[in-house]
Amino acid sequence: MPEYSPTILDHFQHPRNLGDLEGADAVAEVENPACGDRTRLAVRITDGRIVAARFRTEGCPAAIAASSITTELITGRTLEEAALLRDADVADALGGLPRNKLHCSVLAEDVIRAVIQEYRARGDGA
Ligand code: FES
């Protein structure tokens, strides 16, 4: 097992906002081509702001921790603010990632972009 920060271990062992989101305004799923791990993010949006987020991730501990902390990072943000989040922000929030696990935070950035794109594509999130 790679050396994980206490924050990663905490979010892996006690994931926040795990599950489905009833009445979600957008749901997106992405796969990391490097390893095949997958994550799904569902969000509820009110007045252009993410008011709730839930995730399901099939992947490594870092991917699960990244998904978990992502739900915390995006909740309360406007779509514009959430769209600015980068994988490095997720990695920083986790207290850093081992070099060979950096791609796990890319999965989080990808799913944030995907869910915002999905919401906007519906035409009610312009
Ligand atoms: Fe695939 Fe972490 S090893 S996302």
Side-chain angles (χ1 to χ4, degrees), residues 32 34-37 59-63 100-101 103-105 107:
N32 192 324
C35 62
D37 289 354
C60 71
N100 67 342
K101 288 287 176 180
H103 74 273
C104 310
S105 59
L107 193 64

